[in-house]
Amino acid sequence: MFEGFDEVHVDVADGVTLRCRHHRGAGPAVLLLHGHPRTHTTWWQVAPRLADRGMSVVCPDLRGYGQSVGPPPDADHENYCDRAMAGDLVSLMRTLGHDTWAVVGHDRGQGVAFRMAMDAPAHVARLVILDGIPIVEALERADARFAELWWHWFFFSSPHAERVITDDPLAWYAPDPVAMGRENHADLVRAIQDPATVRAMLEDYRAGLHVDRRHAEEDRDAGRLVDCRTLVAWSIHDDMELLYGDPAAIWRDWCRLPVVSARIDSGHHMAEENPAQLAEVLTSFLLAD
């Protein structure tokens, strides 16, 4: 995986060290953010395609995920909120020599990408949202159908989640080495068998229900919008259309500029299930004049 990429571990904040792979190209920089419970290796078939088009590509493990090290959880869940993770990644990109970049976020990573675009607009040139809507919009739309399909959001906030998952993480997550690719699968298996990693991933969800929601509400109340060009894409064989119809229509209320949209012919883990289409969609958007 990741031929031609360098692997580094970078201290970005007190108690936070991020593992990432990166490739320096002559073109614009792009930061790829994974979702739950993946690590950066989920991009193993997408990142090289972007690098082949000349882009500088950075793929980190989010704070507490994979082999990245995060601080102990706190009672208010601030340590694993999107704002904290976005701050980590701004520091990472600056350390790697990038002043501006595009950020692509999938699943939980899309919340971090959105927060980065809101909090650090001088650095974010373009935003790509994959399989997600703003957390406050999701929670305000949460009905019986949402609770049936996305019950894990609420289970993860319970005091029972860590005990259940860490008892048998392979049974809980059931990662498929054929679908994921052998090395990507091995990287995930290593991560989810570490109780500290499981705790950090749960803290990410707990922050979402409280801290991240509050931050989004504050943005909305203040009339703050995403100022950069934005692409919203989603998997057509997942439940985004079932829950939200056209997810891009929701994002248009959060973006100052017109929002571009795309439908990816895959299930939820689009970078693994249809990397060719996803890479083409990303390339077209990221390199467009």
Side-chain angles (χ1 to χ4, degrees):
M1 291 191 302
F2 293 96
E3 183 177 356
F5 283 66
D6 294 321
E7 183 175 350
V8 296
H9 294 253
V10 180
D11 296 332
V12 294
D14 288 342
V16 182
T17 301
L18 300 186
R19 174 183 69 154
C20 83
R21 282 189 169 97
H22 68 109
H23 178 277
R24 176 74 66 171
V30 56
L31 173 65
L32 302 179
L33 306 182
H34 63 83
H36 173 270
R38 293 313 202 245
T39 75
H40 79 276
T41 61
T42 192
W43 300 107
W44 70 279
Q45 298 176 90
V46 174
R49 285 175 160 94
L50 303 184
D52 287 345
R53 296 297 298 271
M55 286 178 257
S56 291
V57 184
V58 181
C59 304
D61 291 344
L62 295 172
R63 170 187 290 211
Y65 283 77
Q67 293 181 36
S68 288
V69 177
D74 63 304
D76 296 327
H77 312 298
E78 297 276 356
N79 283 348
Y80 286 89
C81 73
D82 288 341
R83 177 162 285 158
M85 293 188 183
D88 294 343
L89 296 162
V90 170
S91 178
L92 172 68
M93 294 300 282
R94 299 299 302 278
T95 299
L96 294 177
H98 303 294
D99 188 56
T100 60
W101 54 86
V103 59
V104 177
H106 176 253
D107 186 74
R108 301 303 294 182
Q110 62 85 23
V112 180
F114 166 64
R115 179 49 48 200
M116 181 184 293
M118 296 296 281
D119 289 358
H123 295 297
V124 178
R126 302 189 188 201
L127 171 65
V128 179
I129 300 292
L130 304 177
D131 274 354
I133 64 172
I135 184 69
V136 65
E137 299 278 5
L139 293 174
E140 288 177 350
R141 287 169 167 76
D143 55 13
R145 180 171 56 181
F146 181 90
E148 181 180 8
L149 293 172
W150 289 33
W151 57 271
H152 60 282
W153 272 27
F154 309 104
F155 174 71
F156 287 167
S157 69
S158 79
H160 306 291
E162 287 152 68
R163 173 181 54 81
V164 171
I165 297 172
T166 57
D167 183 65
D168 193 344
L170 293 180
W172 178 268
Y173 288 113
D176 182 349
V178 175
M180 294 181 64
R182 180 177 56 83
E183 292 179 77
N184 179 32
H185 176 266
D187 201 70
L188 174 65
V189 167
R190 174 180 175 179
I192 63 177
Q193 293 187 102
D194 182 348
T197 300
V198 172
R199 177 73 184 276
M201 293 193 296
L202 295 176
E203 284 295 305
D204 178 11
Y205 278 86
R206 293 162 182 167
L209 296 180
H210 302 285
V211 186
D212 298 331
R213 177 178 187 166
R214 184 178 74 247
H215 291 162
E217 289 172 337
E218 291 169 353
D219 289 332
R220 186 170 59 186
D221 291 345
R224 288 189 289 268
L225 298 173
V226 172
D227 280 323
C228 62
R229 297 170 68 176
T230 300
L231 164 67
V232 176
W234 59 92
S235 311
I236 64 173
H237 302 299
D238 198 16
D239 52 19
M240 291 298 292
E241 291 182 350
L242 175 64
L243 289 171
Y244 307 119
D246 178 6
I250 297 172
W251 279 102
R252 291 187 181 103
D253 289 337
W254 291 81
C255 299
R256 200 175 306 279
L257 300 176
V259 173
V260 179
S261 65
R263 301 171 75 243
I264 307 299
D265 187 10
S266 75
H268 179 58
H269 294 289
M270 59 177 74
E272 298 165 6
E273 297 178 39
N274 197 342
Q277 185 193 1
L278 178 58
E280 184 57 37
V281 166
L282 293 178
T283 299
S284 297
F285 175 73
L286 296 174
L287 297 182
D289 293 333

